[in-house]
Amino acid sequence: MRAYKMIWVNGAAVSKLRFFMWKVWRSRLPLDDFFRRLGYLMASKCWCCAEPREETTQHLFFTSYATDKVWKYYLGHAGIPINGITFHQAIVKCWTAYVVPRLKPIMQALPSSLIKVRKPSIQYIPHRWPEMIKMMEQYTPKLKYTKVLWELPDHGWIKVNTDGASKGNPGRSSIGFVLRNEVGDVIYACGKEIHEASNTVAEAKAIYEALRFCVQHDYILIDLHTDSMLLKNLITGEWKPPWQNVRRLEE
């Protein structure tokens, strides 16, 4: 097909961008509409928009606010109207635009440049196309990590580590927990997305799911660890409601 010849042509973009464009063209990116086609039913919301709509390939890369500005800027200067056309039709118009030969590679690779919209942490983006491609090829996101000391549980005990997080607090949330035995071997691990919640609710949900799994599998000697100081103090009884502290000061 002509589309695949334009995607896989040598020199149009680096390999990562060629694979990215193939996934975009085939609607194989891991977006909500892709998982829905696989049979997973879920509430869908685009996390890149102030007023979110359903997360689809068409919306994320063509009709959302940021991408709409990009398409109108580049295609508008090239004399290509985008009103009333689909995402795939806009890509084809880029590929088949009548421009001078030296601009052909730019118009051919233009749809792939929308990937920079997905990298908001990049502070400086070169204006020259070759430098932009080189920068994207060498780009590595900064990872933050913390080194901690993990100790084995006592003989016959199961150590449970839980965690939960919310993007937005409240917002899109996920939980995770892992069970290990006395020699450190993983017995079970789970990580999944939950309903929108706050950080504290996500932490509590992770603890609840972990303890429910332990009860279902008859694990009695449980060494539970969470990084939420609030929930730790609440479980151990060290947390006191604010009104109790006020009453104590009054006495």
Side-chain angles (χ1 to χ4, degrees), residues 80-94:
I80 303 175
I82 65 172
N83 294 330
I85 63 176
T86 65
F87 178 43
H88 284 72
Q89 289 172 339
I91 294 177
V92 172
K93 284 183 177 293
C94 283

Side-chain angles (χ1 to χ4, degrees), residues 2 39 115-116 201 248:
R2 184 177 184 181
I115 193 173
K116 67 181 179 181
V201 171
R248 186 172 302 171

Side-chain angles (χ1 to χ4, degrees), residues 22 32 204:
W22 179 82
D32 291 349

